[in-house]
Amino acid sequence: QVQLVESGGGLVRAGDSLRLSCAASGRAFSRYVAGWFRQVPGKDREFVGFINWNGESTFYADSMKGRFTISRDNANNTVYLQMNSLKPEDTAVYYCAAKGRPSGSHYWFEYDYWGQGTQVTVSS
C-alpha cells in the first residue's frame, strides 16, 4: 500500500507560480511511477503528466508542456508539480497518483493509489 498526501494548493493570480507537493508513505515509493491529474466539477479527470520511477523521464499533456514541471525526490518520498504562468483555466483539484512500473500512463484508471487532492484556484 502507498498513501499519498498532496499539499501546496491555494488561490493565486493569473501569471503566478505554484508548487504542489505529494508526500508518499508505505511501500518503497521508488517502485512506482508518479502521475498528476486534475479535475473540475462535472468533468472527467484530466491528465497533467507523469514521472518515471527514478525521475529521469517525464511526460506531459500538450497543454501543460513548457509551463508545468514534475520532479521527484525518492530519498524523501516526495513528488512535486511546479506550475508556472498559471491561467484561470488551470483552476481545478489536483491529484497525485502512483502506479507500478515500468510505464507511466495518461489514463487515470491505470493508477493504483491516489491522494485526496489539493485545490488550485487561479483568478484572472
PDB file of all heavy atoms in Angstrom, residues 40-66:
ATOM      1  N   VAL A  40     -12.109  19.273 -12.556  1.00  0.00           N
ATOM      2  CA  VAL A  40     -13.066  20.303 -12.193  1.00  0.00           C
ATOM      3  C   VAL A  40     -14.435  19.656 -12.118  1.00  0.00           C
ATOM      4  O   VAL A  40     -14.686  18.632 -12.768  1.00  0.00           O
ATOM      5  CB  VAL A  40     -13.065  21.469 -13.202  1.00  0.00           C
ATOM      6  CG1 VAL A  40     -11.703  22.147 -13.206  1.00  0.00           C
ATOM      7  CG2 VAL A  40     -13.430  20.988 -14.604  1.00  0.00           C
ATOM      8  N   PRO A  41     -15.333  20.226 -11.327  1.00  0.00           N
ATOM      9  CA  PRO A  41     -16.658  19.605 -11.155  1.00  0.00           C
ATOM     10  C   PRO A  41     -17.359  19.419 -12.491  1.00  0.00           C
ATOM     11  O   PRO A  41     -17.367  20.313 -13.338  1.00  0.00           O
ATOM     12  CB  PRO A  41     -17.394  20.611 -10.273  1.00  0.00           C
ATOM     13  CG  PRO A  41     -16.325  21.292  -9.510  1.00  0.00           C
ATOM     14  CD  PRO A  41     -15.175  21.406 -10.455  1.00  0.00           C
ATOM     15  N   GLY A  42     -17.922  18.243 -12.654  1.00  0.00           N
ATOM     16  CA  GLY A  42     -18.689  17.964 -13.859  1.00  0.00           C
ATOM     17  C   GLY A  42     -17.868  17.507 -15.044  1.00  0.00           C
ATOM     18  O   GLY A  42     -18.425  17.213 -16.107  1.00  0.00           O
ATOM     19  N   LYS A  43     -16.538  17.430 -14.873  1.00  0.00           N
ATOM     20  CA  LYS A  43     -15.682  16.997 -15.977  1.00  0.00           C
ATOM     21  C   LYS A  43     -14.852  15.788 -15.553  1.00  0.00           C
ATOM     22  O   LYS A  43     -14.665  15.514 -14.373  1.00  0.00           O
ATOM     23  CB  LYS A  43     -14.761  18.136 -16.423  1.00  0.00           C
ATOM     24  CG  LYS A  43     -15.497  19.297 -17.068  1.00  0.00           C
ATOM     25  CD  LYS A  43     -14.512  20.263 -17.698  1.00  0.00           C
ATOM     26  CE  LYS A  43     -15.235  21.384 -18.426  1.00  0.00           C
ATOM     27  NZ  LYS A  43     -14.288  22.320 -19.095  1.00  0.00           N
ATOM     28  N   ASP A  44     -14.362  15.077 -16.562  1.00  0.00           N
ATOM     29  CA  ASP A  44     -13.523  13.929 -16.299  1.00  0.00           C
ATOM     30  C   ASP A  44     -12.177  14.358 -15.725  1.00  0.00           C
ATOM     31  O   ASP A  44     -11.730  15.492 -15.920  1.00  0.00           O
ATOM     32  CB  ASP A  44     -13.277  13.141 -17.590  1.00  0.00           C
ATOM     33  CG  ASP A  44     -14.520  12.439 -18.087  1.00  0.00           C
ATOM     34  OD1 ASP A  44     -15.435  12.203 -17.268  1.00  0.00           O
ATOM     35  OD2 ASP A  44     -14.571  12.123 -19.286  1.00  0.00           O
ATOM     36  N   ARG A  45     -11.542  13.423 -15.031  1.00  0.00           N
ATOM     37  CA  ARG A  45     -10.202  13.684 -14.520  1.00  0.00           C
ATOM     38  C   ARG A  45      -9.251  13.828 -15.709  1.00  0.00           C
ATOM     39  O   ARG A  45      -9.231  12.991 -16.606  1.00  0.00           O
ATOM     40  CB  ARG A  45      -9.777  12.534 -13.627  1.00  0.00           C
ATOM     41  CG  ARG A  45      -8.611  12.825 -12.733  1.00  0.00           C
ATOM     42  CD  ARG A  45      -8.577  11.878 -11.546  1.00  0.00           C
ATOM     43  NE  ARG A  45      -9.676  12.122 -10.631  1.00  0.00           N
ATOM     44  CZ  ARG A  45      -9.766  11.582  -9.414  1.00  0.00           C
ATOM     45  NH1 ARG A  45      -8.814  10.779  -8.991  1.00  0.00           N
ATOM     46  NH2 ARG A  45     -10.793  11.832  -8.646  1.00  0.00           N
ATOM     47  N   GLU A  46      -8.444  14.896 -15.673  1.00  0.00           N
ATOM     48  CA  GLU A  46      -7.577  15.256 -16.795  1.00  0.00           C
ATOM     49  C   GLU A  46      -6.122  14.947 -16.467  1.00  0.00           C
ATOM     50  O   GLU A  46      -5.628  15.306 -15.389  1.00  0.00           O
ATOM     51  CB  GLU A  46      -7.734  16.741 -17.128  1.00  0.00           C
ATOM     52  CG  GLU A  46      -6.867  17.217 -18.278  1.00  0.00           C
ATOM     53  CD  GLU A  46      -6.957  18.714 -18.499  1.00  0.00           C
ATOM     54  OE1 GLU A  46      -7.426  19.436 -17.607  1.00  0.00           O
ATOM     55  OE2 GLU A  46      -6.541  19.181 -19.587  1.00  0.00           O
ATOM     56  N   PHE A  47      -5.446  14.326 -17.400  1.00  0.00           N
ATOM     57  CA  PHE A  47      -4.026  14.018 -17.240  1.00  0.00           C
ATOM     58  C   PHE A  47      -3.189  15.292 -17.295  1.00  0.00           C
ATOM     59  O   PHE A  47      -3.384  16.135 -18.166  1.00  0.00           O
ATOM     60  CB  PHE A  47      -3.602  13.059 -18.349  1.00  0.00           C
ATOM     61  CG  PHE A  47      -2.132  12.799 -18.438  1.00  0.00           C
ATOM     62  CD1 PHE A  47      -1.485  12.044 -17.467  1.00  0.00           C
ATOM     63  CD2 PHE A  47      -1.390  13.293 -19.498  1.00  0.00           C
ATOM     64  CE1 PHE A  47      -0.135  11.784 -17.559  1.00  0.00           C
ATOM     65  CE2 PHE A  47      -0.041  13.055 -19.599  1.00  0.00           C
ATOM     66  CZ  PHE A  47       0.597  12.293 -18.628  1.00  0.00           C
ATOM     67  N   VAL A  48      -2.246  15.394 -16.356  1.00  0.00           N
ATOM     68  CA  VAL A  48      -1.297  16.512 -16.352  1.00  0.00           C
ATOM     69  C   VAL A  48       0.075  16.033 -16.815  1.00  0.00           C
ATOM     70  O   VAL A  48       0.668  16.593 -17.737  1.00  0.00           O
ATOM     71  CB  VAL A  48      -1.200  17.136 -14.950  1.00  0.00           C
ATOM     72  CG1 VAL A  48      -0.084  18.184 -14.905  1.00  0.00           C
ATOM     73  CG2 VAL A  48      -2.540  17.753 -14.543  1.00  0.00           C
ATOM     74  N   GLY A  49       0.595  15.000 -16.172  1.00  0.00           N
ATOM     75  CA  GLY A  49       1.894  14.460 -16.535  1.00  0.00           C
ATOM     76  C   GLY A  49       2.292  13.355 -15.592  1.00  0.00           C
ATOM     77  O   GLY A  49       1.613  13.094 -14.594  1.00  0.00           O
ATOM     78  N   PHE A  50       3.389  12.677 -15.931  1.00  0.00           N
ATOM     79  CA  PHE A  50       3.926  11.672 -15.027  1.00  0.00           C
ATOM     80  C   PHE A  50       5.448  11.685 -15.072  1.00  0.00           C
ATOM     81  O   PHE A  50       6.067  12.250 -15.985  1.00  0.00           O
ATOM     82  CB  PHE A  50       3.381  10.269 -15.325  1.00  0.00           C
ATOM     83  CG  PHE A  50       3.781   9.671 -16.658  1.00  0.00           C
ATOM     84  CD1 PHE A  50       5.060   9.166 -16.867  1.00  0.00           C
ATOM     85  CD2 PHE A  50       2.865   9.583 -17.700  1.00  0.00           C
ATOM     86  CE1 PHE A  50       5.413   8.603 -18.087  1.00  0.00           C
ATOM     87  CE2 PHE A  50       3.214   9.020 -18.919  1.00  0.00           C
ATOM     88  CZ  PHE A  50       4.497   8.536 -19.112  1.00  0.00           C
ATOM     89  N   ILE A  51       6.024  11.061 -14.062  1.00  0.00           N
ATOM     90  CA  ILE A  51       7.471  10.942 -13.957  1.00  0.00           C
ATOM     91  C   ILE A  51       7.799   9.494 -13.653  1.00  0.00           C
ATOM     92  O   ILE A  51       7.107   8.848 -12.860  1.00  0.00           O
ATOM     93  CB  ILE A  51       8.026  11.897 -12.879  1.00  0.00           C
ATOM     94  CG1 ILE A  51       9.552  11.909 -12.876  1.00  0.00           C
ATOM     95  CG2 ILE A  51       7.453  11.572 -11.498  1.00  0.00           C
ATOM     96  CD1 ILE A  51      10.133  13.076 -12.064  1.00  0.00           C
ATOM     97  N   ASN A  52       8.854   8.987 -14.290  1.00  0.00           N
ATOM     98  CA  ASN A  52       9.160   7.578 -14.075  1.00  0.00           C
ATOM     99  C   ASN A  52       9.793   7.375 -12.702  1.00  0.00           C
ATOM    100  O   ASN A  52      10.008   8.335 -11.941  1.00  0.00           O
ATOM    101  CB  ASN A  52      10.034   7.032 -15.197  1.00  0.00           C
ATOM    102  CG  ASN A  52      11.477   7.484 -15.090  1.00  0.00           C
ATOM    103  OD1 ASN A  52      11.760   8.547 -14.542  1.00  0.00           O
ATOM    104  ND2 ASN A  52      12.381   6.670 -15.606  1.00  0.00           N
ATOM    105  N   TRP A  53      10.105   6.132 -12.378  1.00  0.00           N
ATOM    106  CA  TRP A  53      10.458   5.783 -11.007  1.00  0.00           C
ATOM    107  C   TRP A  53      11.721   6.482 -10.510  1.00  0.00           C
ATOM    108  O   TRP A  53      11.833   6.822  -9.333  1.00  0.00           O
ATOM    109  CB  TRP A  53      10.637   4.272 -10.873  1.00  0.00           C
ATOM    110  CG  TRP A  53      11.821   3.740 -11.628  1.00  0.00           C
ATOM    111  CD1 TRP A  53      11.875   3.394 -12.942  1.00  0.00           C
ATOM    112  CD2 TRP A  53      13.128   3.512 -11.099  1.00  0.00           C
ATOM    113  NE1 TRP A  53      13.129   2.976 -13.275  1.00  0.00           N
ATOM    114  CE2 TRP A  53      13.923   3.028 -12.161  1.00  0.00           C
ATOM    115  CE3 TRP A  53      13.705   3.664  -9.840  1.00  0.00           C
ATOM    116  CZ2 TRP A  53      15.259   2.697 -11.992  1.00  0.00           C
ATOM    117  CZ3 TRP A  53      15.039   3.337  -9.670  1.00  0.00           C
ATOM    118  CH2 TRP A  53      15.794   2.860 -10.748  1.00  0.00           C
ATOM    119  N   ASN A  54      12.686   6.728 -11.410  1.00  0.00           N
ATOM    120  CA  ASN A  54      13.946   7.331 -10.947  1.00  0.00           C
ATOM    121  C   ASN A  54      14.054   8.811 -11.311  1.00  0.00           C
ATOM    122  O   ASN A  54      15.100   9.420 -11.092  1.00  0.00           O
ATOM    123  CB  ASN A  54      15.140   6.562 -11.489  1.00  0.00           C
ATOM    124  CG  ASN A  54      15.199   6.591 -13.007  1.00  0.00           C
ATOM    125  OD1 ASN A  54      14.398   7.231 -13.665  1.00  0.00           O
ATOM    126  ND2 ASN A  54      16.174   5.885 -13.562  1.00  0.00           N
ATOM    127  N   GLY A  55      12.995   9.374 -11.867  1.00  0.00           N
ATOM    128  CA  GLY A  55      12.995  10.793 -12.169  1.00  0.00           C
ATOM    129  C   GLY A  55      13.681  11.181 -13.451  1.00  0.00           C
ATOM    130  O   GLY A  55      13.796  12.373 -13.759  1.00  0.00           O
ATOM    131  N   GLU A  56      14.118  10.196 -14.228  1.00  0.00           N
ATOM    132  CA  GLU A  56      14.883  10.521 -15.429  1.00  0.00           C
ATOM    133  C   GLU A  56      14.017  10.773 -16.648  1.00  0.00           C
ATOM    134  O   GLU A  56      14.513  11.232 -17.681  1.00  0.00           O
ATOM    135  CB  GLU A  56      15.874   9.390 -15.721  1.00  0.00           C
ATOM    136  CG  GLU A  56      16.985   9.280 -14.695  1.00  0.00           C
ATOM    137  CD  GLU A  56      17.993   8.198 -15.038  1.00  0.00           C
ATOM    138  OE1 GLU A  56      17.767   7.458 -16.030  1.00  0.00           O
ATOM    139  OE2 GLU A  56      19.013   8.089 -14.335  1.00  0.00           O
ATOM    140  N   SER A  57      12.753  10.493 -16.526  1.00  0.00           N
ATOM    141  CA  SER A  57      11.870  10.657 -17.681  1.00  0.00           C
ATOM    142  C   SER A  57      10.545  11.248 -17.227  1.00  0.00           C
ATOM    143  O   SER A  57       9.976  10.824 -16.218  1.00  0.00           O
ATOM    144  CB  SER A  57      11.642   9.301 -18.356  1.00  0.00           C
ATOM    145  OG  SER A  57      10.741   9.423 -19.435  1.00  0.00           O
ATOM    146  N   THR A  58      10.071  12.218 -17.975  1.00  0.00           N
ATOM    147  CA  THR A  58       8.771  12.817 -17.697  1.00  0.00           C
ATOM    148  C   THR A  58       7.965  12.910 -18.991  1.00  0.00           C
ATOM    149  O   THR A  58       8.520  12.890 -20.089  1.00  0.00           O
ATOM    150  CB  THR A  58       8.907  14.231 -17.103  1.00  0.00           C
ATOM    151  OG1 THR A  58       9.728  15.023 -17.969  1.00  0.00           O
ATOM    152  CG2 THR A  58       9.515  14.199 -15.717  1.00  0.00           C
ATOM    153  N   PHE A  59       6.672  13.040 -18.822  1.00  0.00           N
ATOM    154  CA  PHE A  59       5.767  13.165 -19.963  1.00  0.00           C
ATOM    155  C   PHE A  59       4.621  14.057 -19.525  1.00  0.00           C
ATOM    156  O   PHE A  59       4.104  13.912 -18.418  1.00  0.00           O
ATOM    157  CB  PHE A  59       5.257  11.789 -20.390  1.00  0.00           C
ATOM    158  CG  PHE A  59       4.397  11.823 -21.616  1.00  0.00           C
ATOM    159  CD1 PHE A  59       4.957  11.817 -22.876  1.00  0.00           C
ATOM    160  CD2 PHE A  59       3.005  11.871 -21.516  1.00  0.00           C
ATOM    161  CE1 PHE A  59       4.170  11.853 -24.009  1.00  0.00           C
ATOM    162  CE2 PHE A  59       2.208  11.911 -22.633  1.00  0.00           C
ATOM    163  CZ  PHE A  59       2.790  11.910 -23.887  1.00  0.00           C
ATOM    164  N   TYR A  60       4.222  14.973 -20.431  1.00  0.00           N
ATOM    165  CA  TYR A  60       3.198  15.946 -20.078  1.00  0.00           C
ATOM    166  C   TYR A  60       2.094  15.994 -21.127  1.00  0.00           C
ATOM    167  O   TYR A  60       2.323  15.749 -22.315  1.00  0.00           O
ATOM    168  CB  TYR A  60       3.808  17.345 -19.961  1.00  0.00           C
ATOM    169  CG  TYR A  60       4.913  17.441 -18.939  1.00  0.00           C
ATOM    170  CD1 TYR A  60       6.244  17.280 -19.305  1.00  0.00           C
ATOM    171  CD2 TYR A  60       4.622  17.681 -17.594  1.00  0.00           C
ATOM    172  CE1 TYR A  60       7.259  17.351 -18.372  1.00  0.00           C
ATOM    173  CE2 TYR A  60       5.639  17.763 -16.652  1.00  0.00           C
ATOM    174  CZ  TYR A  60       6.952  17.597 -17.052  1.00  0.00           C
ATOM    175  OH  TYR A  60       7.948  17.676 -16.118  1.00  0.00           O
ATOM    176  N   ALA A  61       0.929  16.393 -20.654  1.00  0.00           N
ATOM    177  CA  ALA A  61      -0.133  16.715 -21.592  1.00  0.00           C
ATOM    178  C   ALA A  61       0.290  17.949 -22.393  1.00  0.00           C
ATOM    179  O   ALA A  61       1.006  18.818 -21.885  1.00  0.00           O
ATOM    180  CB  ALA A  61      -1.423  16.995 -20.840  1.00  0.00           C
ATOM    181  N   ASP A  62      -0.150  18.022 -23.621  1.00  0.00           N
ATOM    182  CA  ASP A  62       0.283  19.103 -24.509  1.00  0.00           C
ATOM    183  C   ASP A  62       0.022  20.485 -23.922  1.00  0.00           C
ATOM    184  O   ASP A  62       0.855  21.390 -24.042  1.00  0.00           O
ATOM    185  CB  ASP A  62      -0.420  18.982 -25.859  1.00  0.00           C
ATOM    186  CG  ASP A  62       0.113  17.851 -26.705  1.00  0.00           C
ATOM    187  OD1 ASP A  62       1.217  17.344 -26.386  1.00  0.00           O
ATOM    188  OD2 ASP A  62      -0.558  17.460 -27.676  1.00  0.00           O
ATOM    189  N   SER A  63      -1.104  20.650 -23.256  1.00  0.00           N
ATOM    190  CA  SER A  63      -1.470  21.976 -22.754  1.00  0.00           C
ATOM    191  C   SER A  63      -0.611  22.404 -21.563  1.00  0.00           C
ATOM    192  O   SER A  63      -0.611  23.574 -21.189  1.00  0.00           O
ATOM    193  CB  SER A  63      -2.946  22.005 -22.369  1.00  0.00           C
ATOM    194  OG  SER A  63      -3.215  21.068 -21.350  1.00  0.00           O
ATOM    195  N   MET A  64       0.126  21.461 -20.974  1.00  0.00           N
ATOM    196  CA  MET A  64       0.972  21.753 -19.824  1.00  0.00           C
ATOM    197  C   MET A  64       2.448  21.886 -20.182  1.00  0.00           C
ATOM    198  O   MET A  64       3.234  22.383 -19.380  1.00  0.00           O
ATOM    199  CB  MET A  64       0.841  20.659 -18.769  1.00  0.00           C
ATOM    200  CG  MET A  64      -0.439  20.695 -17.952  1.00  0.00           C
ATOM    201  SD  MET A  64      -1.891  20.412 -18.956  1.00  0.00           S
ATOM    202  CE  MET A  64      -3.100  19.837 -17.821  1.00  0.00           C
ATOM    203  N   LYS A  65       2.815  21.431 -21.358  1.00  0.00           N
ATOM    204  CA  LYS A  65       4.226  21.462 -21.744  1.00  0.00           C
ATOM    205  C   LYS A  65       4.761  22.882 -21.709  1.00  0.00           C
ATOM    206  O   LYS A  65       4.133  23.816 -22.192  1.00  0.00           O
ATOM    207  CB  LYS A  65       4.399  20.885 -23.146  1.00  0.00           C
ATOM    208  CG  LYS A  65       4.261  19.378 -23.218  1.00  0.00           C
ATOM    209  CD  LYS A  65       4.456  18.899 -24.647  1.00  0.00           C
ATOM    210  CE  LYS A  65       4.255  17.405 -24.754  1.00  0.00           C
ATOM    211  NZ  LYS A  65       4.367  16.927 -26.146  1.00  0.00           N
ATOM    212  N   GLY A  66       5.933  23.012 -21.125  1.00  0.00           N
ATOM    213  CA  GLY A  66       6.565  24.319 -21.055  1.00  0.00           C
ATOM    214  C   GLY A  66       6.147  25.156 -19.868  1.00  0.00           C
ATOM    215  O   GLY A  66       6.829  26.117 -19.513  1.00  0.00           O
TER     216      GLY A  66
END
